[in-house]
Amino acid sequence: MSTALPLSHRALACAVAVIWGVNFLAIHLSLQQFPPLFLVALRFALLAVPTLVLVPRPRVPARWLVGYGLGFGVLQFSFLYSGMAAGMPAGLASLVLQASGPITLVLGAVLLREKVLPRQWTGVAVAGCGMAVVGVARAGGAELLPYLLVLLGALGWALGNLSSRLAAPPNPLHLTLWMSVVVPVPMLVLSLVVEGPDAILRSLATSLTTAAVPAWAGLAYTVVIGTVVGSGIWTWLLARHPAGVVGPFSMLVPVVGMLTAGVALGERPAPLELVGGFVVVAGVLLGAGRGRRVSVPPAAAPVEVPASCAEVAVDDLRRDLEGVEEPHDVVAEV
């Protein structure tokens, strides 16, 4: 792995941040047509069908594949889409979802007994303070519930991260794609129970009209560009560079998300929300920073002894042992 990012790889990392930042605008457009839980089922169904046909199943334990799908797919997007449908601005949602990083760190320490450096705990504390500031800014009436829903989405993402880590897939992109196979059925059942069949049928009945074109365009962007292209490039970068080098580029996602939502939707975050967002980004970057590298000398290569040398040594030993009682056991051990 290379610890230095070439300019072209930096450009790719920035491109992924732009793709994922615009993804929140695409979700907003799709939510104008479909109920949030049904939209999650539809999104992953469109991804699951070609995955089953074209992508080999990753060689990981089924429990971690299912756990990744339930955490990353079901929990994260159920709460994220529900929060945005309830009024969470797209740009601010892209920011609050970044809480998954610090939450993953805490859960990894508690559940997996992973070692956490003091600097990382400091980053968690700083990011937590930033989230609290954003929460205070949105504490007025109906604005708090959407914020809490998106925050629960970040928790779902963190749980999915733990399952992905335990799965240790040889090809992470295959795991990301196969995760989509887990999501559609439970999400469809959840949508039928919570949203009801009438809401689903109404959204489908008007889905072929001109007014529904932006929703389908947003859904296509989310599936093809956001998931396949974005995740594909990101996985390619992580295979060539340490996560601590590539990961900080994800902090550009909320920047792009908020700028895109501001231009396309006219969203204007409150000053306190911007302050909290800045603190969150600072905390995540602090926690993701790389510690001091310790140089470990390479192990010496084993010395191969020619067979002829070994035979000479055994012959010498035989001569030395002449006259010794029962020497064969000694030679046999050699």
Side-chain angles (χ1 to χ4, degrees):
M1 276 192 177
S2 172
T3 57
L5 278 179
L7 183 60
S8 59
H9 291 193
R10 294 184 185 185
L12 286 174
C14 290
V16 174
V18 171
I19 287 173
W20 287 347
V22 176
N23 203 35
F24 288 86
L25 174 60
I27 293 171
H28 171 83
L29 295 175
S30 298
L31 285 170
Q32 306 307 302
Q33 176 65 33
F34 301 104
L37 301 181
F38 177 70
L39 179 59
V40 178
L42 185 60
R43 166 185 175 170
F44 284 100
L46 292 175
L47 192 59
V49 173
T51 295
L52 284 169
V53 176
L54 301 175
V55 180
R57 184 190 181 281
R59 295 190 299 274
V60 300
R63 63 182 180 275
W64 301 130
L65 173 60
V66 173
Y68 186 38
L70 293 178
F72 185 87
V74 173
L75 291 179
Q76 178 190 189
F77 290 105
S78 293
F79 287 120
L80 172 63
Y81 281 31
S82 297
M84 292 179 66
M88 186 69 167
L92 197 59
S94 69
L95 169 65
V96 174
L97 204 62
Q98 298 305 312
S100 64
I103 294 174
T104 300
L105 192 72
V106 173
L107 291 180
V110 173
L111 300 179
L112 305 183
R113 299 292 188 268
E114 294 181 344
K115 183 179 179 180
V116 180
L117 301 176
R119 182 197 69 253
Q120 294 174 305
W121 282 123
T122 303
V124 169
V126 172
C129 291
M131 283 298 164
V133 171
V134 176
V136 169
R138 300 195 59 82
E143 294 183 339
L144 181 59
L145 178 60
Y147 165 76
L148 294 177
L149 288 173
V150 176
L151 200 56
L152 287 173
L155 173 62
W157 188 356
L159 292 172
N161 286 340
L162 296 188
S163 295
S164 174
R165 191 173 299 171
L166 291 170
N171 189 325
L173 182 58
H174 286 185
L175 179 65
T176 299
L177 294 174
W178 265 85
M179 171 272 300
S180 65
V181 178
V182 180
V183 181
V185 173
M187 285 308 309
L188 182 58
V189 173
L190 192 60
S191 176
L192 288 170
V193 172
V194 176
E195 296 165 339
D198 291 341
I200 297 174
L201 292 175
R202 281 196 303 270
S203 68
L204 292 175
T206 58
S207 63
L208 299 181
T209 63
T210 305
V213 171
W216 285 111
L219 184 57
Y221 180 95
T222 301
V223 172
V224 178
I225 307 299
T227 302
V228 178
V229 177
S231 297
I233 296 175
W234 193 256
T235 302
W236 185 85
L237 289 171
L238 287 175
R240 287 157 178 80
H241 306 282
V245 176
V246 180
F249 282 87
S250 67
M251 287 297 96
L252 294 174
V253 173
V255 176
V256 175
M258 298 182 84
L259 287 175
T260 303
V263 173
L265 304 176
E267 293 181 359
R268 297 292 183 269
L272 195 58
E273 293 173 345
L274 290 175
V275 171
F278 175 79
V279 175
V280 171
V281 171
V284 175
L285 286 176
L286 178 62
R290 289 180 297 160
R292 186 174 55 186
R293 296 178 63 88
V294 179
S295 177
V296 179
V303 178
E304 295 183 1
V305 180
S308 58
C309 295
E311 292 172 356
V312 171
V314 171
D315 291 340
D316 291 341
L317 183 59
R318 288 183 185 277
R319 284 193 294 271
D320 292 339
L321 291 175
E322 287 180 358
V324 179
E325 293 182 357
E326 298 182 355
H328 303 288
D329 293 340
V330 180
V331 177
E333 288 183 9
V334 176

